[in-house]
Amino acid sequence: MESLDIFVGGEWRRGGGNLMHSRFPADGSVNAELYAADLADLETAVERGEAAWRDPAWRNSLPHQRARILSRVAEIIESRVDTLAELQTRDNGKPLAETRGLVMSAAGTARYFAAACELLEGELPTPRIPEVMTLSHYEPLGVVAAITPWNSPIASEMQKVAPAIAAGNAVVLKPAEATPLMALELARIFEQAGLPAGLLSVLPGKGSIIGDALARHPKVRKISFTGGTSTGRHLAHVAAEKLISTSLELGGKSPTIVLEDADIEQAARGICYGIFSSGGQACIAGARLFVHSSVYQPLMTRLLELTRGLRIGHPLTPGTHIGPLISPQHRDKVMSYVQMARDEGGEVLCGGEIPADPQLAAGNWFQPTIIEGLENTAQVCQEEIFGPVLVAMAFDDEQQLIAEANDSVYGLAAGIWSRDTGRALRLAQALEAGTIWINTYKVFSISTPFGGFKESGLGREKGIQGLKAWMQQKSIYLATGNGVNHWCD
Ligand code: ADP
């Protein structure tokens, strides 16, 4: 079995912590073993990161020099799409078609931040004081932390590392316990692309140990986190103590809304993709469905047909829609939510069970599940399940709909299906969510900011804003004449 080293301040070495494993969720087999980072590894990573970002060769590097590294990263990723997609599938069980898309999106992210870094401009604000010019420009923060979850490692890791490097920082990346493989592979790719040693470290290990110590480290100047809301809240406290900035991409319980004039086929397909792709293991999964009662039956009939037609299978088999969930424990949690829905009076219209296929018995599969007969106040409508479970509800009144769609502690995303664009836009303005999709769902553009309202997060990633979030702004006042400070006269 492969035994992996971790990447500490430019050095590949055995981690000082406990033995850990990456397992293939399709059959529980071990992909690789490795030793977690310990606190000594963390110290080395931060110290070397600090030295590397202060090194004048990096500190004074020009944007196009940093951009060149990111462009090479993109080229390497594009030349290895199939192997990287398979690696990602082995680590977290997502079907190949999805992980291929994630790999391509990671290459696009590296290219975008290469370009954004080249084009980032400081400002020369119009003077407000005679004979004084002011300059506003952007500098890196220093050593920064990226803490990522298991559901889309390559995408979420690149979304943090690429802008952080473009901005001139040194990054310490802590991947999720379950999925260390892609982060380590990304470290190899950045190394191969010519990133100077020390600017990227990858420290696998337990969140409560190595993640927590990383966030608390006095030299770490930003925490960028994607994961659960309770961990995010904890990290916000840590950041508040240190007075450093955070970017928190947290949970969701996103509503999708079908108005009476929607294209039913388009809506049913988008809803099916929005909740069941990745087995629902997505913070943006469209988990609450609100359908106008006049189109409830036709929409549900088509949605059930599409859902029953999804191919549940091995994630490495082309054409599979539904792969296994990340772990047996997570599947148990999803199942307990379905039981809770039954107890709350919900009716399971499809799914709700572990698939009977003996070929899937060794993995963590769960059938795509649609439930009706519940109110939005039900616990399964209020809590994030992070699995293939959709609750459908009918509505009549638009104001009531808006109130219910917004009746959630979360505010990450929402979907609207309607042929009336003006009405859909008005509804989009009334919904409390950071991303709204109209007549589509779960599509992403790296140039468009992403982040949550309410308990779904703080700060934005992606876009030019997402680059500046890894920098600190500095103002410089420059006297162009003599004698502006007359106070001592
Ligand atoms: P999920 O529910 O998606 O697993 P978590 O919030 O538990 O979300 O984990 C997301 C990431 O945060 C993982 O890399 C995990 O190891 C890390 N993590 C968990 N607890 C902490 C903590 N107390 N401090 C820092 N990082 C943590």
Side-chain angles (χ1 to χ4, degrees), residues 11-356:
E11 181 191 347
W12 290 97
R13 69 190 204 193
R14 185 174 143 164
N18 293 338
L19 182 63
M20 54 187 278
H21 297 97
S22 150
R23 286 181 192 279
F24 188 21
D27 56 17
S29 62
V30 175
N31 297 314
E33 65 170 34
L34 64 155
Y35 288 84
D38 67 1
L39 297 182
D41 293 321
L42 170 63
E43 202 51 41
T44 306
V46 174
E47 285 305 327
R48 289 187 189 167
E50 177 82 11
W53 90 271
R54 286 190 186 280
D55 183 339
W58 180 250
R59 194 97 170 87
N60 302 327
S61 65
L62 298 168
H64 66 275
Q65 294 166 330
R66 299 196 296 279
R68 193 177 299 142
I69 295 171
L70 290 169
S71 298
R72 279 198 213 118
V73 164
E75 278 159 26
I76 297 169
I77 291 176
E78 282 160 354
S79 71
R80 297 183 48 206
V81 176
D82 291 332
T83 48
L84 292 172
E86 180 171 339
L87 186 73
Q88 178 73 106
T89 293
R90 288 197 176 279
D91 222 7
N92 76 353
K94 277 194 181 183
L96 265 187
E98 284 186 39
T99 52
R100 226 176 171 281
L102 292 173
V103 170
M104 289 307 292
S105 88
T109 300
R111 284 198 189 286
Y112 177 82
F113 284 110
C117 149
E118 291 235 46
L119 295 176
L120 187 69
E121 305 277 7
E123 289 124 34
L124 188 66
T126 305
R128 302 280 296 170
I129 310 171
E131 299 190 334
V132 175
M133 284 173 72
T134 55
L135 317 168
S136 169
H137 83 132
Y138 295 87
E139 297 186 355
L141 292 161
V143 179
V144 292
I147 301 178
T148 52
W150 45 260
N151 60 329
S152 301
I154 189 163
S156 49
E157 282 155 13
M158 189 60 89
Q159 219 164 284
K160 298 184 191 305
V161 175
I165 292 294
N169 300 288
V171 191
V172 181
L173 168 61
K174 210 299 284 176
E177 289 97 304
T179 54
L181 299 189
M182 190 52 77
L184 292 168
E185 198 57 28
L186 279 182
R188 288 208 182 273
I189 291 170
F190 272 90
E191 195 181 26
Q192 198 185 337
L195 183 73
L199 291 169
L200 175 62
S201 288
V202 175
L203 304 184
K206 259 187 131 23
S208 55
I209 300 173
I210 206 72
D212 189 66
L214 169 61
R216 289 181 193 279
H217 196 291
K219 287 195 170 151
V220 167
R221 303 310 305 156
K222 174 179 170 111
I223 305 166
S224 177
F225 168 80
T226 301
T229 292
S230 61
T231 312
R233 188 174 278 116
H234 163 74
L235 291 173
H237 280 286
V238 172
E241 273 303 313
K242 292 171 65 181
L243 292 177
I244 62 169
S245 78
T246 51
S247 160
L248 306 172
E249 304 287 353
L250 309 176
K253 192 77 189 179
S254 301
T256 46
I257 297 164
V258 182
L259 299 179
E260 56 271 44
D261 61 355
D263 176 330
I264 296 297
E265 181 65 19
Q266 186 190 49
R269 285 176 177 274
I271 291 159
C272 189
Y273 171 68
I275 179 65
F276 297 130
S277 57
S278 309
Q281 299 170 116
C283 49
I284 46 170
R288 291 182 294 146
L289 173 61
F290 294 92
V291 188
H292 192 271
S293 57
S294 65
V295 291
Y296 186 82
Q297 275 319 324
L299 185 280
M300 291 302 290
T301 302
R302 186 64 186 127
L303 180 59
L304 282 163
E305 248 169 43
L306 289 169
T307 305
R308 291 190 178 114
L310 293 175
R311 286 182 294 274
I312 303 179
H314 198 280
L316 291 173
T317 304
T320 291
H321 292 120
I322 305 286
L325 300 179
I326 185 73
S327 64
Q329 296 79 3
H330 186 56
R331 180 176 63 181
D332 289 350
K333 183 180 146 200
V334 172
M335 275 169 58
S336 72
Y337 270 110
V338 174
Q339 187 52 47
M340 184 190 291
R342 289 190 172 105
D343 296 344
E344 286 184 300
E347 185 188 347
V348 175
L349 300 180
C350 74
E353 309 290 340
I354 293 174

